[in-house]
C-alpha cells in the first residue's frame, strides 16, 4: 500500500523504460520503498498506490483503496465504497491507462468504482496538480487506474486467486471471488511482442438496515390538542424501516497487446470490458398516516433537542417525542395510522468497454505518440417495485372505501436507536398470523421500468516532446486532443396507483408471488422492536422472472374487476434527452531543470460545442399533447495556464509549488430539458437547466517533504481553490399548513411554492385522496459568487526495517498516518427551511415571522479527516490494520427520498471505520489470507437540521470478511 506523492508519469515516456530503473513490487515494504524512490524525482503533486503483488491492492473495493490517500474521503452505499471525494469534492475524473472513462449515469466522474475489481488494477495515480498536458475536467483531481504493461515484464507472469466473502447481515452465505492474470513477452524476428490478460469474477451480497423517524412538526403547549404537554414538543410524523440488500455479479476482463518492432518504436492495443449486474432486493416497512394522529398520540418520554445555529442564528431548543404508542383512530372516516410494505428492485445492468490503439516513436530529439480511444457504457435499470397496504382484520375498513385501515404502532427512539414496531398489546392490534395472511394485503402501487442510459466518448490525441537543451529549458511538450462525448437517457416506465378497495386486488389473488419479508432487522444492533412479520412481492422472482410477476399482477387486477389496468412500460417523452459534446484541445508545455529547481509551465486551450436534443410537449387547440423534438446548441472556450515547480532545498528536503486553472463541465442531466415525475409526493421534481455554465477552478498548492530516514518521510502541504460558477442545487418546497400538513391540491399552478405533479398521490397532504399535488422541485444553477476551498494535508511514513539488529522481530513494524484539514467558504446560494420547519423555529426563537436559511455548504465535505495504518511484514507474514475517521458533513443521501423534511441536506455525523488483513506466504508460490472490512460494525447517523441536532436516520452496516488463497506459477 502506497500513499505518498510521486511524479506523474505519462504513458508516452514508457518507451524510455530501458533507461529507468525497474523496481519490483512484492510486498507492503517494497511497494512503499518504490514510492519513495519515485517521489524524490517528482515534478508535480500526484498521489500513488501500488499493488503489493499481482492483483493485490490494499483493499477489495477501489473506492476503499483510494481512502488510504491523504486528502481523500469516500462515501458508501450499504457499507460499500461508491463515491470518492478528493479535497472535499466529488467533481473528479477517472481514467484507465490515461484513457477517459464514462459512467453508467449522466455524471462526469467516469466509471463507477463498484464496477471495476481492484484485482485487475496494478496501480492507481491521483493527479492533484495538473500539467498542461493533463486532460481538463476535474476540480479535486484525476484518478488514473493502471494495468500491467507486458513489455515491462522480466519473466512470465501467471497468478490465480480464489476467495470467499461473507457479510454479517446477509442471509445468502459466502460469495465467491476469482481472479487471474497471465502475461509474457517474446523476442521475434519482427521485434518484441508482449501480451497480458487479466480476468476477475466476483459475487457480493451486501446489506444495510436504515431506520428513519421524522419529527418535523410541533404540538404547542397551548394548542388544545389531547396530546399537548406543559411544553412545546415535536411529535412523530413518519416512521420507516428500510432494509437494503444488493447482490453484485461483476465480470472484468483486461487485455493488452504490445509490439516493439525496433528499440525506439512501440505499438499497443488495450481492451477493458466490465459487465456488472447489480440486483436490488430491498424492502420498506412504512408507518404512514402517523402525522394525522399528532393531536391524540401522547408520547410517554421526551428528549431535549438543541438545534444549534445556522448562519449565525441561534435556533434554540425544544422537546421531542422519543417513546410511546400511536393508537388507532376510528373517529375519522380516513382511519389512521396505516401499515405499508414496499419491495424495491431497482437493479442496474451495465456493460462498459474501453478500447485504445496507439503507437509511439523516439527519435534523437523528438518523441511522438498517437492514440485513438473509445469508451462506452450501456446501462438498463429494470425494476418492478410494489407497495402493499395491510388491511387489519381487527379494525374496520375506511368509510370512504380507500384501500387502507388502521394499525397501532409502538416507537422507542431512546439511546439513539430509531426503533418502531406493531403495538401488539394495543386495541385493534393484528396478530402475527394476520400479518402473514395474503388475504390481509392489497395491491397499492406498481412501478415498472426499464430505463436506458448510453454514454460514449471517442477521442484522438497526438502528443510530442522535443528535447531543447537550452540551458535550463530541457524540452517542450505539445499536442492536440479531439473528443466527442454523448449521453442519452430514455425512461421506459409504467406507474399504477390504486387507492380504493374496488380497484385493489387482495393478496390471495397473487399469493404465489408473495413471500415473507426478511425478519433479521434486529441483527445489526440487537434491537427487539421492529416489524418482523410481513409479506412482500418476492424480489428474487422479480429478478429471475419479471414477466411472470407482471402477468400475475395484471391478472389479479383483472380478476378483481378493478377499473385501472396494469400496462406495459413505455418511453416517457418528458424525460428523454440526447446530448452531444465535441471538444478540441491544444497545449504546449516547457520543461525546465537546474541543479536545484525543476518543473514545467504551459497553456491548455479548449473549445467545446454542445448540441442537446429533447422533447417539447405542448397542447393543440383540442387540449391534446403534441410532442416535438427540440435541439439547443451552445459553445464555450477556455485558456488554462498551469505551472509546477520543485526545489531541492537540501539532500533530504524538497518543496513543491503548483498553480493552474481547470474547468468542470455540468452533468449531462443537469443540462437537459427533461422532467421526471414520481407517483410519490415526497421526491422533488428535477428540472434541467440548459443554460448552466462550466465551473472554472483556480488552484494553488505548496508542500514540503522531508526524508528523515530510510524508507520514511514527513510531508505537509497547503492547497487553495477558487471556484467560479460553482454548480449548486436549488430546491423549492411547497407550502404546508402547520396545523393540518396539507399542501395545495389544485393545479396546475402552485402559488405558494413547489411545482405541480399531476401523477403524485395526495396521501396525507390533502383532506381527501386522489392524485395531483404540489411537490418540491429542484434544479442546478451557477452560484453567482466565488467560493473557496482551502486545506492542509499532513502525512508521515516510518519503517523500522533498518533496526533489525536492535529490534529483531519488532523491526517488521511500520506505520503510515495522514491528516487533512479543509474548509469551504463564499458563495451566495442558500437552502431554505420548509414552512413547517419555520413554524417550529418560530416557537423555539420567539420570532413569529422567521424564515430560516443556511448558506449552502459543499456536499460531502468533511472539515477534518485522518487515516492511521499499522503494518507488519516479516517471516513471510504480512499484516495491516487501518482506522479511518472523517468528521460530519452535509449529505444528499437520505434513503429512498430526495427531499429533506426540514429543507436542508442532512448532516452525516462523525464516523470511524476499522479494516484489517493478514496474509501468510506458505512458500514462494502459495499465499493465504483473510481480510475484514468494518470490523466494529460502525453505524451511520444522520441529523436533520445541524450537527448533532435531531437524529432522523440511521445506517446499520455489515461486517465483511474475505478469505482465500493465491498461487503464482
Amino acid at each position: 500500500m502506497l500513499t505518498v506523492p510521486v511524479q506523474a508519469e505519462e504513458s508516452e515516456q514508457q518507451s524510455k523504460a530501458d533507461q529507468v530503473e525497474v523496481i519490483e513490487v512484492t510486498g507492503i515494504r517494497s511497494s512503499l520503498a518504490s514510492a519513495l524512490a519515485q517521489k524524490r524525482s517528482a515534478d508535480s503533486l500526484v498521489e500513488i498506490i501500488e499493488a503489493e503483488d499481482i492483483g493485490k491492492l490494499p483493499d477489495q473495493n477501489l473506492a476503499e483503496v483510494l481512502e488510504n490517500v491523504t486528502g481523500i474521503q469516500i462515501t458508501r452505499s450499504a457499507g460499500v465504497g461508491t463515491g470518492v471525494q478528493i479535497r472535499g469534492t466529488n467533481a473528479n475524473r477517472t481514467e484507465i491507462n490515461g484513457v477517459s472513462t464514462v459512467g453508467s449515469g449522466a455524471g462526469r466522474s467516469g466509471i463507477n468504482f463498484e464496477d471495476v475489481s481492484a484485482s485487475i488494477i496494478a496501480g492507481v495515480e491521483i493527479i492533484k496538480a495538473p500539467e498542461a498536458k493533463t486532460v481538463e475536467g476535474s476540480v479535486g483531481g484525476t484518478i488514473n487506474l493502471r494495468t500491467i504493461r507486458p513489455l515491462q515484464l522480466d519473466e512470465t507472469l501467471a497468478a490465480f486467486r480464489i476467495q470467499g466473502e461473507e457479510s454479517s447481515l446477509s442471509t445468502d452465505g459466502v460469495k465467491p471471488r476469482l481472479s487471474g492474470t497471465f502475461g509474457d513477452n517474446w523476442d521475434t524476428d519482427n521485434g518484441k511482442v508482449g501480451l497480458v490478460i487479466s480476468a476477475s469474477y466476483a459475487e457480493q451480497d451486501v446489506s444495510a438496515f436504515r431506520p428513519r423517524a421524522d419529527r418535523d412538526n410541533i404540538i404547542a403547549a397551548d394548542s388544545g390538542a389531547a396530546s399537548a404537554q406543559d411544553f412545546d414538543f415535536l411529535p412523530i410524523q413518519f416512521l420507516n424501516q428500510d432494509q437494503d440488500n444488493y447482490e453484485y455479479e461483476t465480470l472484468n476482463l483486461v487485455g493488452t497487446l504490445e509490439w516493439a518492432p525496433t528499440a525506439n518504436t512501440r505499438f499497443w492495443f488495450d481492451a477493458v470490458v466490465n459487465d456488472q449486474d447489480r440486483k436490488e432486493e430491498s424492502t420498506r416497512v412504512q408507518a404512514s398516516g402517523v402525522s394525522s394522529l399528532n393531536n391524540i398520540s401522547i408520547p410517554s418520554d421526551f428528549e431535549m433537542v438543541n438545534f444549534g445555529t445556522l448562519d449565525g442564528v441561534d435556533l434554540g431548543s425544544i422537546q421531542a417525542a422519543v417513546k410511546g404508542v400511536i393508537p388507532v383512530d376510528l373517529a375519522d372516516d380516513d382511519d389512521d395510522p396505516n401499515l405499508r410494505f414496499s419491495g424495491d428492485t431497482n437493479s442496474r445492468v451495465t456493460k462498459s468497454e474501453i478500447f485504445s490503439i496507439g503507437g509511439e516513436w523516439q527519435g534523437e530529439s523528438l518523441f511522438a505518440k498517437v492514440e485513438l480511444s473509445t469508451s462506452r457504457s450501456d446501462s438498463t435499470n429494470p425494476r418492478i417495485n410494489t407497495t402493499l397496504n395491510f388491511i387489519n382484520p381487527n379494525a374496520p375498513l375506511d368509510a370512504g372505501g380507500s384501500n387502507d385501515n388502521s394499525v397501532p404502532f409502538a416507537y422507542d427512539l431512546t439511546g439513539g436507536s430509531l426503533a418502531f414496531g406493531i403495538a401488539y398489546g394495543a386495541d385493534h392490534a393484528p396478530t402475527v398470523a394476520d400479518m402473514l395472511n395474503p388475504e390481509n394485503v392489497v395491491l397499492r402501487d406498481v412501478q415498472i421500468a426499464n430505463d436506458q442510459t448510453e454514454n460514449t466518448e471517442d477521442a484522438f490525441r497526438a502528443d510530442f516532446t522535443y528535447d531543447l537543451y537550452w540551458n535550463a529549458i530541457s524540452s517542450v511538450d505539445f499536442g492536440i486532443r479531439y473528443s466527442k462525448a454523448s449521453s442519452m437517457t430514455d425512461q421506459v416506465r409504467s406507474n399504477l396507483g390504486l387507492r380504493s378497495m374496488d380497484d385493489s386486488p387482495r393478496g390471495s389473488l397473487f399469493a404465489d408471488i408473495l413471500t415473507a419479508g426478511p425478519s433479521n432487522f434486529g441483527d445489526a444492533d440487537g434491537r427487539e422492536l421492529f416489524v418482523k412479520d410481513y409479506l412482500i412481492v418476492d424480489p428474487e422472482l422479480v429478478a429471475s422472472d419479471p414477466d411472470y410477476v407482471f402477468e400475475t399482477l395484471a391478472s389479479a387486477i383483472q380478476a378483481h374487476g378493478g377499473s385501472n389496468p396494469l400496462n406495459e412500460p413505455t418511453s416517457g417523452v418528458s424525460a428523454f434527452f440526447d446530448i452531444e459534446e465535441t471538444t478540441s484541445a491544444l497545449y504546449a508545455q516547457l520543461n525546465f531543470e537546474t541543479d536545484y529547481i525543476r518543473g514545467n509551465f504551459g497553456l491548455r486551450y479548449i473549445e467545446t460545442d454542445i448540441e442537446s436534443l429533447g422533447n417539447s410537449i405542448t397542447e393543440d387547440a383540442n387540449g391534446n399533447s403534441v410532442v416535438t423534438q427540440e435541439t439547443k446548441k451552445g459553445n464555450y472556450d477556455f485558456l488554462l495556464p498551469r505551472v509546477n515547480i520543485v526545489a531541492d532545498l537540501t539532500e533530504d528536503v524538497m518543496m513543491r509549488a503548483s498553480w493552474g486553472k481547470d474547468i468542470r463541465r455540468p452533468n449531462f442531466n443537469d443540462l437537459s430539458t427533461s422532467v421526471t415525475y414520481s407517483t410519490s409526493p415526497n421526491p422533488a421534481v428535477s428540472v434541467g437547466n440548459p443554460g448552466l455554465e462550466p465551473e472554472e477552478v483556480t488552484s494553488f498548492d505548496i508542500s514540503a517533504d522531508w526524508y528523515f530516514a530510510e524508507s520514511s518521510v514527513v510531508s505537509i502541504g497547503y492547497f487553495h481553490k477558487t471556484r467560479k460558477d460553482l454548480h449548486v442545487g436549488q430546491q423549492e418546497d411547497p407550502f404546508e399548513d402547520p396545523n393540518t400538513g396539507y399542501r395545495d391540491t389544485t393545479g396546475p399552478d402552485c402559488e405558494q411554492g413547489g411545482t405541480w405533479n399531476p401523477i403524485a398521490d395526495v396521501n396525507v397532504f390533502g383532506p381527501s385522496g386522489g392524485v395531483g399535488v404540489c411537490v418540491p422541485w429542484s434544479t442546478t444553477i451557477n452560484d453567482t459568487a466565488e467560493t473557496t476551498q482551502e486545506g492542509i494535508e499532513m502525512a508521515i511514513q516510518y519503517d523500522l526495517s533498518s533496526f533489525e539488529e536492535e529490534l529483531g522481530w519488532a523491526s517488521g513494524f511500520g506505520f503510515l498516518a495522514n491528516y487533512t484539514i479543509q474548509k469551504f467558504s463564499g458563495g451566495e446560494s442558500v437552502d431554505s427551511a420548509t414552512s413547517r420547519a419555520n413554524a417550529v423555529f418560530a416557537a423555539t426563537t420567539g420570532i413569529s415571522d422567521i424564515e430560516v436559511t443556511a448558506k449552502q455548504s459543499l456536499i460531502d465535505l468533511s472539515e477534518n479527516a485522518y487515516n492511521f495504518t499499522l503494518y507488519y511484514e516479516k517471516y513471510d507474514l504480512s499484516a495491516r490494520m487501518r482506522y479511518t475517521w472523517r468528521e460530519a458533513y452535509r449529505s444528499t443521501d437520505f434513503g429512498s427520498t430526495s427531499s429533506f423534511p426540514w429543507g436542508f441536506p442532512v448532516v452525516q455525523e462523525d464516523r470511524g471505520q476499522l479494516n484489517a488483513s493478514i496474509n501468510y506466504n506458505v512458500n514462494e508460490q502459495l499465499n493465504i489470507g483473510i481480510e475484514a472490512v468494518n470490523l466494529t460494525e460502525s453505524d451511520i447517523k444522520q441529523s436533520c437540521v445541524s450537527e448533532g441536532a435531531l437524529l432522523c436516520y440511521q445506517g446499520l452496516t455489515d461486517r465483511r470478511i474475505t478469505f482465500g488463497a493465491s498461487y503464482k506459477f
Side-chain angles (χ1 to χ4, degrees):
M1 186 234 346
L2 191 57
T3 60
V4 291
V6 302
Q7 182 177 4
E9 296 281 339
E10 290 293 321
S11 59
E12 61 260 27
Q13 294 176 325
Q14 292 172 357
S15 67
K16 302 179 181 179
D18 58 332
Q19 304 173 17
V20 179
E21 180 186 1
V22 177
I23 302 175
E24 184 180 4
V25 179
T26 59
I28 298 174
R29 182 166 286 111
S30 295
S31 64
L32 294 175
S34 174
L36 294 186
Q38 296 176 70
K39 178 181 174 68
R40 297 186 76 105
S41 60
D43 283 345
S44 61
L45 186 56
V46 177
E47 309 275 1
I48 190 168
I49 302 172
E50 293 280 2
E52 301 166 22
D53 206 342
I54 303 305
K56 193 177 189 309
L57 286 167
D59 293 278
Q60 299 281 345
N61 174 278
L62 276 175
E64 292 167 3
V65 167
L66 289 162
E67 192 179 28
N68 291 279
V69 174
T70 310
I72 292 185
Q73 293 86 48
I74 71 171
T75 49
R76 292 176 167 86
S77 298
V80 175
T82 53
V84 173
Q85 297 83 52
I86 303 177
R87 293 176 165 181
T89 176
N90 294 287
N92 309 302
R93 273 176 47 84
T94 302
E95 302 174 344
I96 297 182
N97 294 324
V99 173
S100 297
T101 65
V102 294
S104 59
R108 294 284 190 169
S109 293
I111 196 166
N112 295 48
F113 288 109
E114 59 189 24
D115 291 0
V116 183
S117 171
S119 64
I120 65 169
I121 302 301
V124 183
E125 296 172 337
I126 304 96
I127 303 171
K128 290 181 176 178
E131 299 175 319
K133 57 189 175 184
T134 305
V135 178
E136 73 285 345
S138 173
V139 176
T142 297
I143 301 164
N144 183 33
L145 309 176
R146 296 187 285 106
T147 62
I148 299 171
R149 313 312 296 177
L151 291 185
Q152 294 181 352
L153 296 175
D154 293 327
E155 59 184 15
T156 301
L157 167 64
F160 181 76
R161 177 175 286 111
I162 181 170
Q163 296 176 304
E165 182 181 83
E166 184 174 35
S167 163
S168 62
L169 298 182
S170 172
T171 58
D172 285 352
V174 177
K175 293 294 185 179
R177 289 178 176 268
L178 307 172
S179 62
T181 300
F182 171 81
D184 206 349
N185 53 60
W186 306 270
D187 290 313
T188 72
D189 293 340
N190 296 313
K192 197 169 187 177
V193 177
L195 172 68
V196 168
I197 298 176
S198 296
S200 170
Y201 173 81
E203 295 181 16
Q204 189 175 34
D205 186 272
V206 297
S207 297
F209 302 165
R210 309 207 288 183
R212 170 180 169 180
D214 290 359
R215 292 173 286 177
D216 55 318
N217 208 335
I218 186 171
I219 299 295
D222 59 358
S223 64
S227 60
Q229 305 291 310
D230 295 336
F231 46 81
D232 300 339
F233 75 92
L234 307 178
I236 301 294
Q237 285 285 109
F238 177 74
L239 295 165
N240 192 41
Q241 176 181 301
D242 190 347
Q243 188 158 342
D244 291 345
N245 179 259
Y246 298 95
E247 293 187 358
Y248 296 84
E249 184 177 4
T250 307
L251 175 65
N252 296 146
L253 299 171
V254 175
T256 297
L257 178 65
E258 289 184 310
W259 174 40
T262 65
N264 62 349
T265 307
R266 183 175 70 97
F267 299 96
W268 68 87
F269 173 72
D270 285 342
V272 181
V273 177
N274 302 306
D275 277 338
Q276 187 185 82
D277 188 352
R278 189 196 72 173
K279 296 182 177 68
E280 182 180 5
E281 298 179 359
S282 301
T283 61
R284 285 180 290 121
V285 178
Q286 205 171 290
S288 185
V290 172
S291 59
S292 301
L293 279 296
N294 283 341
N295 288 337
I296 65 172
S297 178
I298 304 174
S300 59
D301 287 295
F302 301 85
E303 67 178 355
M304 180 63 72
V305 175
N306 184 346
F307 288 122
T309 62
L310 285 178
D311 284 3
V313 178
D314 188 344
L315 298 179
S317 302
I318 193 172
Q319 295 279 359
V322 294
K323 194 173 184 179
V325 172
I326 302 171
V328 165
D329 177 22
L330 302 180
D332 195 301
D333 287 343
D334 185 17
D335 300 333
D336 286 308
N338 317 130
L339 180 59
R340 293 174 184 159
F341 314 128
S342 295
D344 295 331
T345 60
N346 301 291
S347 299
R348 176 169 66 86
V349 181
T350 298
K351 182 175 183 179
S352 58
E353 299 172 332
I354 303 166
F355 300 108
S356 63
I357 186 170
E360 60 187 26
W361 172 78
Q362 177 68 61
E364 184 175 347
S365 299
L366 179 67
F367 170 82
K369 172 191 169 184
V370 175
E371 183 177 60
L372 184 66
S373 64
T374 181
S375 299
R376 183 180 183 91
S377 177
D378 294 339
S379 292
T380 58
N381 298 96
R383 66 175 180 264
I384 301 180
N385 293 347
T386 53
T387 297
L388 309 177
N389 271 351
F390 177 69
I391 305 300
N392 183 5
N394 298 325
L397 291 172
D398 289 351
S402 64
N403 59 0
D404 56 25
N405 67 344
S406 304
V407 177
F409 295 103
Y411 62 94
D412 186 352
L413 314 186
T414 58
S417 178
L418 305 179
F420 80 97
I422 309 298
Y424 282 111
D427 292 341
H428 307 288
T431 65
V432 171
D434 293 334
M435 297 282 291
L436 295 174
N437 185 348
E439 186 65 19
N440 293 333
V441 294
V442 296
L443 186 63
R444 183 181 192 271
D445 288 294
V446 184
Q447 297 175 352
I448 305 172
N450 195 24
D451 297 349
Q452 300 175 10
T453 303
E454 296 178 2
N455 294 321
T456 64
E457 180 174 311
D458 300 323
F460 168 80
R461 65 182 298 174
D463 301 278
F464 305 91
T465 299
Y466 190 79
D467 296 328
L468 295 173
Y469 304 113
W470 293 350
N471 295 323
I473 304 299
S474 58
S475 63
V476 59
D477 296 326
F478 56 96
I480 62 171
R481 185 176 188 268
Y482 174 83
S483 65
K484 177 178 286 188
S486 66
S487 181
M488 186 281 294
T489 292
D490 188 14
Q491 292 185 351
V492 183
R493 300 184 179 183
S494 173
N495 295 316
L496 176 65
L498 305 174
R499 298 297 176 264
S500 70
M501 291 297 293
D502 289 341
D503 286 333
S504 300
R506 293 268 184 173
S508 53
L509 291 175
F510 51 95
D512 56 335
I513 63 170
L514 294 178
T515 188
S519 58
N520 63 331
F521 199 83
D523 290 354
D525 61 357
R527 69 179 62 198
E528 296 183 359
L529 182 61
F530 62 95
V531 181
K532 303 177 178 66
D533 306 290
Y534 57 97
L535 294 173
I536 57 172
V537 173
D538 189 348
E540 294 187 0
L541 194 58
V542 170
S544 62
D545 197 350
D547 291 339
Y548 178 71
V549 173
F550 175 86
E551 292 167 2
T552 301
L553 293 173
S555 297
I557 294 171
Q558 185 177 17
H560 178 71
S563 60
N564 296 314
L566 181 61
N567 299 317
E568 293 280 357
T570 58
S571 177
V573 293
S574 64
F576 170 84
F577 67 83
D578 190 353
I579 298 175
E580 286 193 356
E581 180 182 86
T582 303
T583 298
S584 300
L586 301 170
Y587 76 88
Q589 171 179 307
L590 286 175
N591 305 301
F592 58 89
E593 184 175 1
T594 69
D595 290 340
Y596 302 105
I597 297 177
R598 62 187 183 275
N600 54 71
F601 58 90
L603 295 171
R604 186 177 187 87
Y605 174 75
I606 62 167
E607 189 174 84
T608 298
D609 296 313
I610 301 175
E611 188 172 290
S612 177
L613 175 67
N615 291 325
S616 175
I617 304 174
T618 57
E619 289 187 355
D620 60 17
N622 298 319
N624 300 314
S625 295
V626 178
V627 180
T628 57
Q629 290 198 326
E630 183 177 278
T631 299
K632 294 186 177 181
K633 296 183 179 181
N635 61 78
Y636 53 82
D637 61 89
F638 287 90
L639 184 64
L640 307 175
R642 295 168 180 180
V643 181
N644 294 277
I645 301 174
V646 179
D648 296 307
L649 302 182
T650 70
E651 183 179 356
D652 296 325
V653 177
M654 61 178 57
M655 293 192 67
R656 293 181 176 85
S658 302
W659 180 87
K661 289 191 175 184
D662 211 326
I663 66 164
R664 178 65 174 184
R665 297 179 174 91
N667 290 337
F668 286 111
N669 58 337
D670 291 335
L671 291 171
S672 76
T673 57
S674 64
V675 180
T676 303
Y677 295 103
S678 170
T679 56
S680 170
N682 296 311
V685 172
S686 180
V687 180
N689 180 4
L692 200 60
E693 296 288 336
E695 176 186 345
E696 187 174 355
V697 186
T698 303
S699 300
F700 170 73
D701 287 89
I702 186 168
S703 62
D705 304 322
W706 174 35
Y707 300 90
F708 63 94
E710 183 180 351
S711 298
S712 303
V713 66
V714 171
S715 66
I716 184 169
Y718 169 79
F719 68 87
H720 184 282
K721 295 179 181 291
T722 301
R723 304 176 66 173
K724 179 183 177 183
D725 292 325
L726 178 70
H727 302 149
V728 295
Q730 288 285 282
Q731 178 168 311
E732 180 183 285
D733 294 287
F735 174 78
E736 294 181 9
D737 188 285
N739 296 315
T740 64
Y742 293 164
R743 299 176 182 171
D744 185 358
T745 57
T746 304
D749 297 321
C750 297
E751 293 84 358
Q752 294 180 288
T755 189
W756 180 251
N757 184 337
I759 67 171
D761 181 17
V762 172
N763 203 352
V764 298
F765 297 113
S768 58
V771 295
V773 63
C774 291
V775 301
W777 70 271
S778 64
T779 191
T780 301
I781 64 171
N782 292 115
D783 199 313
T784 54
E786 285 189 346
T787 59
T788 60
Q789 280 178 255
E790 57 181 331
I792 297 174
E793 299 174 338
M794 297 169 282
I796 182 171
Q797 174 183 317
Y798 192 38
D799 185 273
L800 301 180
S801 59
S802 60
F803 298 97
E804 170 75 29
E805 293 184 4
E806 295 86 351
L807 299 178
W809 65 270
S811 63
F813 281 107
F815 71 88
L816 301 90
N818 61 66
Y819 197 105
T820 303
I821 306 170
Q822 55 189 350
K823 64 179 182 179
F824 172 84
S825 60
E828 293 182 343
S829 297
V830 298
D831 295 311
S832 300
T834 65
S835 55
R836 201 156 59 196
N838 277 323
V840 175
F841 296 139
T844 58
T845 63
I847 305 172
S848 59
D849 59 348
I850 192 170
E851 293 186 1
V852 177
T853 62
K855 187 173 290 187
Q856 282 198 0
S857 59
L858 197 63
I859 296 299
D860 295 334
L861 181 142
S862 293
E863 291 192 354
N864 291 274
Y866 67 82
N867 286 339
F868 179 83
T869 299
L870 178 68
Y871 65 87
Y872 183 85
E873 191 170 54
K874 203 173 182 65
Y875 310 124
D876 293 316
L877 183 68
S878 177
R880 178 194 295 109
M881 181 175 65
R882 184 181 88 239
Y883 183 77
T884 304
W885 179 89
R886 64 180 300 184
E887 197 175 17
Y889 58 92
R890 290 280 179 183
S891 173
T892 56
D893 178 16
F894 194 56
S896 57
T897 181
S898 58
S899 60
F900 309 108
W902 293 78
F904 311 106
V906 294
V907 176
Q908 190 142 310
E909 301 289 352
D910 302 353
R911 181 178 184 270
Q913 179 165 310
L914 181 64
N915 298 350
S917 66
I918 184 168
N919 293 272
Y920 179 71
N921 293 323
V922 178
N923 52 46
E924 291 185 0
Q925 287 77 40
L926 179 63
N927 175 278
I928 58 175
I930 185 169
E931 304 173 31
V933 176
N934 195 18
L935 266 171
T936 59
E937 296 181 290
S938 176
D939 66 350
I940 295 168
K941 291 183 170 63
Q942 291 184 342
S943 298
C944 264
V945 179
S946 57
E947 186 174 350
L950 193 64
L951 178 69
C952 55
Y953 203 81
Q954 285 181 281
L956 311 174
T957 56
D958 60 359
R959 177 197 300 118
R960 301 193 306 279
I961 305 294
T962 304
F963 52 90
S966 60
Y967 191 86
K968 292 189 291 184
F969 296 90

